[in-house]
Amino acid sequence: MTNVQILALLLALSAAAHIGCAAAFIAWRGGHSGPKALLIGGGASGAACGLYFAALSAYQ
């Protein structure tokens, strides 16, 4: 892997982790239980990572 590919992967994982944590926190503060909020955050994280990788592959 090139340096640019590694940096793109790290950026995608960082953005997905931030989005997932924010979604889980919002769900938890919205009244969902802890495990359900974690599932919501995981779904948001997976969706964000998938969208980022799809956009990255379309760009190249």
Side-chain angles (χ1 to χ4, degrees), residues 8-58:
L9 177 63
L10 288 175
L11 178 64
L13 294 176
S14 174
H18 281 88
I19 290 170
C21 287
F25 180 73
I26 291 170
W28 180 62
R29 292 296 291 166
H32 292 286
S33 64
K36 191 170 185 177
L38 286 176
L39 286 173
I40 291 170
S45 178
C49 205
L51 286 173
Y52 187 86
F53 285 140
L56 193 65
S57 67

